[in-house]
Amino acid sequence: MTTAVDIVNLALTRIKYTTPIGSFFEGSTASRVAVQVYAQTRDALFSSKDWEFLRKEVSLGNPVKTAPAGGYGATPWDPTTNPVVPWIYEYFYPADCIEIRSLRPTPVFIPEFAPQFTRFVTAFDSPNKVVLTNLYQPLANITARVVDPDEWQDAMFTETLIDALAVQFEKHFGDGDPNKINLAERDTAQAMAVADTRRG
């Protein structure tokens, strides 16, 4: 079982930082830096590639706002019940979603061998992040925010995250030698290139 703390400690080891952390919230210098950089670095890496283990398909469910059935000819636009023109439907942004890759109609028949993808935009409808589209109850192909390292199922991702965290820790704990930081950045880039090759 691998934990986020294990990953942080491996990154600290790579920069030869000798005191591991036992918890993100123990109050040590390293743990305070880990709180600042871990989630941000992980999520940036999630977004950087189309990692296979992060792909999920979820339903957006029922719309929270809908355009009038007959259009806006006789019905004035009401921002409390209608989405921004020219969209027909507004949905809440999926929970634990880094990025929506595509939307498609919910298939009438299973399996559907030629799904049609559709246009959409994301926006903020205070205080919520929302999805605007003209599809009713679409399926969303997303990059999910998977926080449990045991669910990543990709050793190359874990190695790349450790390298990326090492770069961040090096900036906080390094001796100021820019060559050392550049070396860590180079190793991260190489690991990501290898990951790309493995995924084809």
Side-chain angles (χ1 to χ4, degrees):
M1 176 173 159
T2 302
T3 67
V5 169
D6 295 331
I7 290 170
V8 166
N9 285 329
L10 286 168
L12 290 170
T13 298
R14 290 193 181 176
I15 66 165
K16 298 183 174 13
Y17 190 84
T18 57
T19 306
I21 69 170
S23 160
F24 278 92
F25 305 106
E26 67 186 20
S28 66
T29 301
S31 69
R32 290 197 297 270
V33 175
V35 167
Q36 294 175 24
V37 304
Y38 178 81
Q40 180 180 3
T41 304
R42 179 203 62 206
D43 286 0
L45 192 56
F46 282 167
S47 298
S48 68
K49 304 288 180 184
D50 185 14
W51 301 96
E52 189 172 330
F53 70 96
L54 295 177
R55 297 177 193 163
K56 290 188 177 181
E57 188 168 71
V58 298
S59 172
L60 294 188
N62 292 317
V64 292
K65 292 184 180 181
T66 306
Y72 292 105
T75 305
W77 177 69
D78 181 351
T80 63
T81 57
N82 304 136
V84 175
V85 176
W87 303 103
I88 299 175
Y89 302 109
E90 178 179 305
Y91 300 89
F92 288 129
Y93 197 82
D96 296 324
C97 173
I98 295 288
E99 181 181 359
I100 297 178
R101 299 288 185 177
S102 62
L103 295 186
R104 67 183 181 96
T106 300
V108 177
F109 301 103
I110 303 293
E112 182 172 327
F113 296 107
Q116 298 297 308
F117 295 91
T118 191
R119 293 180 61 231
F120 70 95
V121 297
T122 58
F124 281 94
D125 189 351
S126 185
N128 301 304
K129 190 173 183 179
V130 298
V131 182
L132 299 166
T133 183
N134 292 336
L135 277 183
Y136 181 69
Q137 293 184 333
L139 296 176
N141 183 279
I142 70 169
T143 297
R145 180 180 284 106
V146 179
V147 299
D148 184 353
D150 281 336
E151 296 181 17
W152 291 345
Q153 302 173 353
D154 190 328
M156 185 55 63
F157 175 84
T158 304
E159 286 298 307
T160 307
L161 176 58
I162 292 168
D163 284 339
L165 287 169
V167 171
Q168 298 303 317
F169 287 130
E170 183 78 11
K171 292 173 181 176
H172 284 84
F173 301 122
D175 58 12
D177 180 359
N179 292 322
K180 191 178 290 185
I181 295 174
N182 291 340
L183 177 62
E185 290 174 338
R186 185 202 66 190
D187 290 344
T188 299
Q190 288 177 342
M192 293 184 73
V194 171
D196 284 342
T197 301
R198 290 181 58 199
R199 283 191 296 275

